[in-house]
Amino acid sequence: MTKGQWEAPSVLLAVDLVILTLRHARLHVLLIERGVEPFKGALALPGGFLRDQDEAIEAAARRELSEEAGLVDVHLEMIGVYGKPDRDPRGRVVSVAYLAIAPRLPEPVAGTDAAGACWTPVEQILSAGMEVAFDHRQILVDGVERARAKLEHTTLATAFCGETFTISELQQVYEAVWGVQLDPRNFYRKVQSARGFIVTAGPMRRTENGRPARLFKAGPVQVLYPPMVRTV
Amino acid sequence: MTKGQWEAPSVLLAVDLVILTLRHARLHVLLIERGVEPFKGALALPGGFLRDQDEAIEAAARRELSEEAGLVDVHLEMIGVYGKPDRDPRGRVVSVAYLAIAPRLPEPVAGTDAAGACWTPVEQILSAGMEVAFDHRQILVDGVERARAKLEHTTLATAFCGETFTISELQQVYEAVWGVQLDPRNFYRKVQSARGFIVTAGPMRRTENGRPARLFKAGPVQVLYPPMVRTV
DNA sequence: CGAATAGTGTCTTTTAGACAGTATCCA
DNA sequence: TGGATACTGTCTAAAAGACACTATTCG
């Protein structure tokens, strides 16, 4: 509560992005090599400070998404706030973390500002002990866990795919993000019976090897029913 | 990214609390009558600014929880960040919202600072058009939705109960938060079969009317398997 | 005894999971 | 033709939902 002469302390506000995508059937996150202190030369999540007093937080996240990864119109949601008093040696910096999901991309990161942007397998950071700057490991852990959880009861998986996709492409998303193997036949039935999850995108087909598959696009529904249960 | 002479803008950081509890088998939220401008006299979620530059954000939330509601050791989790540039007429105020779950309480709000603290049925704000200050209606909506979702696949429901509770008390939590009626017999089976959800708390019993019920306490598990499915 | 709540059993329908078999492409 | 992937069908076991019934308390 504001009382009397006391003045509330102010903080610097930043945004950080966990940008996930699928590459070679594995989950990758975009990391940037830092060009300035602190943690100069180390890898970190893309992000930055609010540009000015009037910039909305999500707008800042979208701006960084565009500037650092060349991405527009992708799924974006807030993960949480990271504000431990000592998390940044420059002073009291509070960071709002966002989760972004990018569909399959051409090999290089298109339209990038930052020189050292690179897609890194999530496993390398989570299981192998690869280092990242600040508290970005924790932010990544929380972002990946958010994605895993939302695959269960929302249609988020379609955000990893392009405009249209086959059912086995969708299955690859679940397998990569959850780190499990799924039976394609049961996955088929499951996905088709989830109301509004996917809808057929014309009678077109696409091929690379074996029988061509039907194409689908994301359905109208956000919340999945029945959910895709990740058996524990 | 920090560049050259440019200086990042700073913001005021606040916390707001959605404190939920059950009263008379209905979901209630704690509101405070504001004693100062802006919105003087209006009802608002409890909350306030960070006390000083070194206070952790969650610590500020726990401090407000104690000062404004007299609550300690209750479930507390972050909901999200609310930072629209124009959400507070005093300037750029970014608020971190927290969800707190209080067990059944004695009628008055114990140990309260704020004079006008009152438990309000959530329905009155969500369905009936009761007004609240700032963007607190949206924060409440998000907090309640979070609670509803977490009841499905976590053991959060036990946080609404006291140290020990009966199965029908637990059922009341689900019914009040979800706003549905559940079959007590199937609920029984369901809850008992969810591994680690509840454990018997001795052979004691409690009574008020009808046959006495067994007492349980919260089990060791946080994530529910199988989940409590809220049929849509 | 009846009213009220606690707890068990049982039946039916739905869903998950395993897996056989057919279809359609390419080389 | 064989190899590969797409898709369909079928069986079994588990879980969800409906609901009859018994148990234990109070007054």
Side-chain angles (χ1 to χ4, degrees):
Chain A
M1 313 216 82
T2 341
K3 278 181 191 163
Q5 309 298 41
W6 172 82
E7 193 162 325
S10 62
V11 303
L12 292 178
L13 201 66
V15 296
D16 284 308
L17 294 167
V18 176
I19 313 175
L20 299 179
T21 198
L22 237 62
R23 292 165 74 84
H24 319 114
R26 292 171 67 196
L27 188 64
H28 285 63
V29 62
L30 189 69
L31 295 182
I32 307 265
E33 190 183 327
R34 286 184 59 82
V36 297
E37 291 294 346
F39 293 100
K40 183 168 179 176
L43 289 169
L45 295 174
F49 290 108
L50 236 54
R51 202 211 295 271
D52 59 64
Q53 199 77 17
D54 290 327
E55 187 177 43
I57 305 176
E58 181 167 327
R62 292 217 175 265
R63 176 173 52 74
E64 294 290 341
L65 201 48
S66 161
E67 287 176 7
E68 305 218 55
L71 292 170
V72 291
D73 292 332
V74 299
H75 174 93
L76 186 68
E77 67 178 270
M78 188 190 301
I79 299 169
V81 187
Y82 297 80
K84 288 219 182 79
D86 58 353
R87 68 180 288 278
D88 191 314
R90 286 167 294 189
R92 189 71 197 263
V93 176
V94 170
S95 178
V96 181
Y98 282 84
L99 172 66
I101 308 290
R104 308 188 128 286
L105 297 166
E107 284 296 316
V109 181
T112 272
D113 250 17
C118 60
W119 291 107
T120 311
V122 165
E123 273 309 296
Q124 255 181 52
I125 306 164
L126 262 47
S127 298
M130 187 171 163
E131 294 290 331
V132 286
F134 303 105
D135 50 3
H136 288 186
R137 165 186 289 272
Q138 185 60 49
I139 297 178
L140 176 64
V141 166
D142 294 347
V144 170
E145 181 46 40
R146 170 74 64 93
R148 285 181 176 149
K150 290 200 78 170
L151 249 53
E152 288 194 71
H153 40 263
T154 76
T155 57
L156 181 64
T158 59
F160 282 95
C161 303
E163 180 73 17
T164 62
F165 49 86
T166 67
I167 290 188
S168 76
E169 280 169 3
L170 193 61
Q171 182 180 341
Q172 277 182 31
V173 173
Y174 278 89
E175 293 185 329
V177 177
W178 283 354
V180 297
Q181 288 277 101
L182 300 172
D183 182 308
R185 299 158 296 186
N186 292 335
F187 185 82
Y188 232 87
R189 243 190 318 131
K190 199 77 198 290
V191 164
Q192 299 259 39
S193 71
R195 301 190 268 275
F197 190 2
I198 56 176
V199 298
T200 57
M204 317 132 205
R205 290 154 188 259
R206 181 195 291 172
T207 177
E208 63 174 36
N209 194 5
R211 173 174 172 177
R214 288 184 231 164
L215 286 179
F216 295 85
K217 60 185 181 190
V221 161
Q222 306 299 317
V223 177
L224 264 191
Y225 191 81
M228 306 290 289
V229 199
R230 171 171 50 149
T231 309
V232 186
Chain B
M1 312 224 86
T2 342
K3 281 180 191 160
Q5 310 300 39
W6 172 82
E7 194 162 327
S10 62
V11 303
L12 291 178
L13 200 67
V15 295
D16 283 310
L17 294 167
V18 177
I19 312 176
L20 300 178
T21 199
L22 237 63
R23 293 166 73 84
H24 319 113
R26 291 171 66 196
L27 189 63
H28 285 64
V29 62
L30 188 69
L31 295 182
I32 307 265
E33 190 183 328
R34 285 184 58 81
V36 298
E37 292 294 349
F39 293 100
K40 183 170 180 174
L43 289 169
L45 296 175
F49 290 108
L50 234 54
R51 201 210 295 272
D52 59 63
Q53 199 77 17
D54 290 326
E55 188 177 40
I57 305 175
E58 182 168 325
R62 293 220 174 261
R63 176 173 52 74
E64 294 290 341
L65 200 48
S66 161
E67 286 176 10
E68 305 218 55
L71 292 170
V72 289
D73 291 331
V74 300
H75 174 94
L76 185 69
E77 67 179 90
M78 188 191 299
I79 297 169
V81 187
Y82 297 80
K84 288 220 183 79
D86 58 353
R87 68 180 288 277
D88 191 314
R90 286 168 293 189
R92 189 69 197 265
V93 176
V94 170
S95 178
V96 180
Y98 281 83
L99 172 66
I101 308 290
R104 309 186 127 287
L105 297 165
E107 285 297 317
V109 181
T112 275
D113 250 17
C118 61
W119 291 107
T120 311
V122 165
E123 272 311 295
Q124 255 181 53
I125 306 164
L126 262 45
S127 298
M130 186 174 164
E131 295 289 333
V132 286
F134 303 104
D135 50 3
H136 287 187
R137 164 186 289 273
Q138 186 58 49
I139 296 178
L140 177 63
V141 167
D142 295 346
V144 170
E145 182 47 40
R146 169 74 63 93
R148 284 181 176 149
K150 289 200 78 169
L151 248 52
E152 288 194 70
H153 40 265
T154 75
T155 57
L156 182 64
T158 58
F160 282 95
C161 303
E163 180 73 17
T164 63
F165 49 86
T166 68
I167 288 187
S168 77
E169 280 169 3
L170 194 61
Q171 182 179 342
Q172 277 182 31
V173 173
Y174 277 89
E175 293 185 330
V177 177
W178 283 353
V180 297
Q181 289 275 102
L182 300 172
D183 183 307
R185 299 159 294 187
N186 293 335
F187 185 82
Y188 231 88
R189 243 190 320 129
K190 200 75 198 289
V191 164
Q192 299 259 39
S193 72
R195 301 190 270 274
F197 190 2
I198 56 176
V199 296
T200 58
M204 316 131 205
R205 286 150 192 263
R206 182 195 288 172
T207 177
E208 64 175 35
N209 194 5
R211 171 175 174 178
R214 288 183 230 165
L215 286 179
F216 295 84
K217 60 184 182 192
V221 161
Q222 306 298 316
V223 177
L224 264 190
Y225 191 82
M228 306 289 289
V229 199
R230 171 171 52 147
T231 309
V232 185

Coordinates of all heavy atoms in Angstrom, one line a residue, chain A residues 168 185 188 209-214, chain D residues 3-10 17:
Chain A
S168 N 1.4 -37.9 -39.1 CA 2.7 -38.4 -38.6 C 3.6 -37.2 -38.3 O 4.4 -37.4 -37.4 CB 3.3 -39.4 -39.6 OG 3.9 -38.7 -40.6
R185 N -0.8 -46.1 -35.0 CA -2.2 -46.4 -35.3 C -3.1 -45.9 -34.2 O -4.2 -45.3 -34.5 CB -2.3 -47.9 -35.4 CG -1.4 -48.4 -36.5 CD -1.1 -49.9 -36.4 NE -0.2 -50.2 -35.3 CZ 0.3 -51.3 -35.0 NH1 0.1 -52.3 -35.9 NH2 1.0 -51.6 -34.0
Y188 N -3.3 -42.1 -34.4 CA -4.3 -41.7 -35.5 C -5.7 -41.6 -35.0 O -6.4 -40.6 -35.1 CB -4.2 -42.9 -36.5 CG -4.0 -42.4 -37.9 CD1 -2.8 -42.1 -38.4 CD2 -5.1 -42.1 -38.7 CE1 -2.6 -41.7 -39.7 CE2 -5.0 -41.6 -40.0 CZ -3.7 -41.4 -40.5 OH -3.6 -40.9 -41.7
N209 N 8.3 -40.5 -49.2 CA 8.7 -41.9 -49.2 C 7.5 -42.7 -48.7 O 7.0 -42.3 -47.7 CB 9.9 -42.1 -48.3 CG 10.6 -43.4 -48.5 OD1 10.2 -44.2 -49.4 ND2 11.6 -43.7 -47.6
G210 N 7.2 -43.7 -49.5 CA 6.0 -44.4 -49.1 C 4.7 -43.8 -49.5 O 4.7 -42.7 -50.2
R211 N 3.6 -44.3 -49.1 CA 2.3 -43.8 -49.4 C 2.1 -42.4 -49.0 O 2.4 -42.0 -47.9 CB 1.2 -44.7 -48.8 CG -0.2 -44.2 -48.9 CD -1.1 -45.2 -48.4 NE -2.5 -44.7 -48.3 CZ -3.5 -45.5 -47.9 NH1 -3.3 -46.7 -47.5 NH2 -4.7 -45.0 -47.9
P212 N 1.5 -41.5 -49.9 CA 1.3 -40.1 -49.5 C 0.2 -40.0 -48.4 O -0.7 -40.8 -48.3 CB 0.7 -39.5 -50.8 CG 1.0 -40.5 -51.9 CD 1.1 -41.8 -51.3
A213 N 0.4 -39.0 -47.6 CA -0.5 -38.8 -46.5 C -1.5 -37.7 -46.7 O -1.2 -36.8 -47.4 CB 0.3 -38.6 -45.2
R214 N -2.6 -37.8 -46.1 CA -3.6 -36.7 -46.1 C -3.1 -35.4 -45.4 O -2.3 -35.6 -44.4 CB -4.9 -37.1 -45.4 CG -5.7 -38.1 -46.2 CD -7.0 -38.4 -45.5 NE -7.2 -39.8 -45.4 CZ -8.1 -40.3 -44.5 NH1 -8.8 -39.6 -43.8 NH2 -8.2 -41.6 -44.5
Chain D
dG3 P 12.3 -56.1 -49.1 OP1 13.6 -56.8 -48.8 OP2 11.0 -56.6 -48.5 O5' 12.5 -54.6 -48.7 C5' 13.1 -53.7 -49.6 C4' 12.7 -52.2 -49.4 O4' 11.5 -52.0 -50.1 C3' 12.3 -52.0 -47.9 O3' 12.8 -50.7 -47.5 C2' 10.8 -52.0 -47.9 C1' 10.5 -51.4 -49.2 N9 9.2 -51.8 -49.7 C8 8.5 -53.0 -49.7 N7 7.4 -53.0 -50.2 C5 7.2 -51.7 -50.7 C6 6.1 -51.1 -51.4 O6 5.0 -51.6 -51.7 N1 6.4 -49.8 -51.7 C2 7.5 -49.1 -51.3 N2 7.6 -47.8 -51.7 N3 8.5 -49.7 -50.7 C4 8.3 -51.0 -50.4
dA4 P 12.9 -50.3 -46.0 OP1 14.2 -49.6 -45.8 OP2 12.4 -51.4 -45.1 O5' 11.8 -49.1 -45.9 C5' 11.9 -48.0 -46.7 C4' 10.6 -47.3 -46.7 O4' 9.6 -48.2 -47.5 C3' 9.9 -47.0 -45.4 O3' 9.9 -45.7 -45.1 C2' 8.5 -47.7 -45.5 C1' 8.4 -47.9 -47.0 N9 7.4 -48.9 -47.3 C8 7.5 -50.2 -46.9 N7 6.5 -51.0 -47.3 C5 5.7 -50.1 -48.0 C6 4.5 -50.3 -48.7 N6 3.8 -51.4 -48.8 N1 4.0 -49.2 -49.3 C2 4.6 -48.0 -49.2 N3 5.8 -47.7 -48.6 C4 6.3 -48.8 -48.0
dT5 P 9.7 -45.1 -43.6 OP1 10.7 -44.1 -43.4 OP2 9.6 -46.3 -42.7 O5' 8.3 -44.4 -43.6 C5' 7.9 -43.6 -44.7 C4' 6.5 -43.7 -44.9 O4' 6.1 -45.0 -45.4 C3' 5.6 -43.4 -43.7 O3' 4.7 -42.3 -44.0 C2' 4.8 -44.7 -43.6 C1' 4.8 -45.3 -45.0 N1 4.6 -46.7 -45.1 C2 3.5 -47.1 -45.9 O2 2.8 -46.4 -46.5 N3 3.3 -48.5 -45.9 C4 4.0 -49.4 -45.2 O4 3.8 -50.6 -45.3 C5 5.1 -48.9 -44.5 C7 6.0 -49.9 -43.7 C6 5.3 -47.6 -44.4
dA6 P 3.6 -41.8 -43.0 OP1 3.5 -40.3 -43.1 OP2 3.8 -42.5 -41.7 O5' 2.3 -42.4 -43.7 C5' 2.0 -42.0 -45.0 C4' 0.6 -42.5 -45.3 O4' 0.5 -43.9 -45.5 C3' -0.5 -42.1 -44.3 O3' -1.7 -41.7 -45.0 C2' -0.7 -43.4 -43.6 C1' -0.5 -44.5 -44.6 N9 0.1 -45.7 -44.1 C8 1.2 -45.9 -43.4 N7 1.5 -47.2 -43.0 C5 0.4 -47.9 -43.6 C6 0.1 -49.2 -43.7 N6 0.8 -50.2 -43.1 N1 -1.0 -49.6 -44.3 C2 -1.8 -48.6 -44.9 N3 -1.6 -47.3 -45.0 C4 -0.4 -47.0 -44.3
dC7 P -2.8 -40.9 -44.2 OP1 -3.6 -40.2 -45.2 OP2 -2.3 -40.2 -43.1 O5' -3.7 -42.2 -43.7 C5' -4.5 -42.9 -44.7 C4' -5.0 -44.2 -44.2 O4' -3.9 -45.0 -43.7 C3' -5.9 -44.1 -43.0 O3' -7.3 -44.2 -43.5 C2' -5.5 -45.3 -42.1 C1' -4.5 -46.0 -42.9 N1 -3.5 -46.8 -42.2 C2 -3.6 -48.2 -42.1 O2 -4.5 -48.7 -42.7 N3 -2.7 -48.9 -41.4 C4 -1.6 -48.2 -40.8 N4 -0.7 -49.0 -40.2 C5 -1.5 -46.8 -40.9 C6 -2.4 -46.1 -41.6
dT8 P -8.5 -44.4 -42.5 OP1 -9.7 -44.0 -43.3 OP2 -8.2 -43.7 -41.3 O5' -8.6 -45.9 -42.3 C5' -8.7 -46.8 -43.4 C4' -9.1 -48.2 -42.9 O4' -8.0 -48.9 -42.4 C3' -10.2 -48.2 -41.9 O3' -11.2 -49.2 -42.2 C2' -9.5 -48.5 -40.6 C1' -8.4 -49.4 -41.1 N1 -7.1 -49.4 -40.3 C2 -6.6 -50.6 -39.9 O2 -7.2 -51.7 -40.1 N3 -5.5 -50.5 -39.1 C4 -4.8 -49.4 -38.8 O4 -3.8 -49.4 -38.1 C5 -5.4 -48.1 -39.3 C7 -4.8 -46.8 -39.0 C6 -6.5 -48.2 -40.0
dG9 P -12.4 -49.4 -41.2 OP1 -13.5 -49.8 -42.1 OP2 -12.5 -48.3 -40.3 O5' -12.0 -50.8 -40.4 C5' -11.5 -51.9 -41.2 C4' -11.2 -53.1 -40.2 O4' -9.9 -52.8 -39.5 C3' -12.2 -53.2 -39.1 O3' -12.5 -54.6 -38.9 C2' -11.5 -52.6 -37.9 C1' -10.1 -52.9 -38.1 N9 -9.1 -52.0 -37.5 C8 -9.2 -50.6 -37.6 N7 -8.2 -50.1 -36.9 C5 -7.5 -51.1 -36.4 C6 -6.3 -51.1 -35.6 O6 -5.6 -50.2 -35.2 N1 -5.9 -52.4 -35.3 C2 -6.5 -53.6 -35.8 N2 -5.9 -54.7 -35.4 N3 -7.6 -53.6 -36.5 C4 -8.0 -52.3 -36.8
dT10 P -13.6 -55.1 -37.9 OP1 -14.7 -55.6 -38.8 OP2 -14.0 -54.1 -37.0 O5' -12.9 -56.3 -37.2 C5' -11.5 -56.5 -37.3 C4' -11.0 -57.1 -36.0 O4' -10.0 -56.1 -35.4 C3' -12.0 -57.2 -34.8 O3' -11.6 -58.3 -34.0 C2' -11.9 -55.9 -34.1 C1' -10.3 -55.8 -34.1 N1 -9.8 -54.5 -33.8 C2 -8.6 -54.5 -33.1 O2 -8.0 -55.5 -32.8 N3 -8.1 -53.2 -32.8 C4 -8.7 -52.0 -33.1 O4 -8.2 -50.9 -32.8 C5 -10.0 -52.1 -33.8 C7 -10.7 -50.9 -34.2 C6 -10.4 -53.4 -34.1
dG17 P -17.0 -39.6 -16.5 OP1 -17.2 -38.5 -17.4 OP2 -16.4 -39.3 -15.1 O5' -18.3 -40.3 -16.3 C5' -19.0 -40.8 -17.4 C4' -20.3 -41.5 -17.0 O4' -19.9 -42.8 -16.5 C3' -21.1 -40.9 -15.9 O3' -22.4 -40.8 -16.3 C2' -20.8 -41.8 -14.7 C1' -20.6 -43.1 -15.4 N9 -19.9 -44.1 -14.6 C8 -18.8 -44.0 -13.8 N7 -18.4 -45.1 -13.2 C5 -19.3 -46.0 -13.7 C6 -19.4 -47.4 -13.5 O6 -18.7 -48.1 -12.7 N1 -20.5 -48.0 -14.1 C2 -21.3 -47.3 -15.0 N2 -22.3 -48.1 -15.5 N3 -21.3 -46.0 -15.2 C4 -20.2 -45.5 -14.5

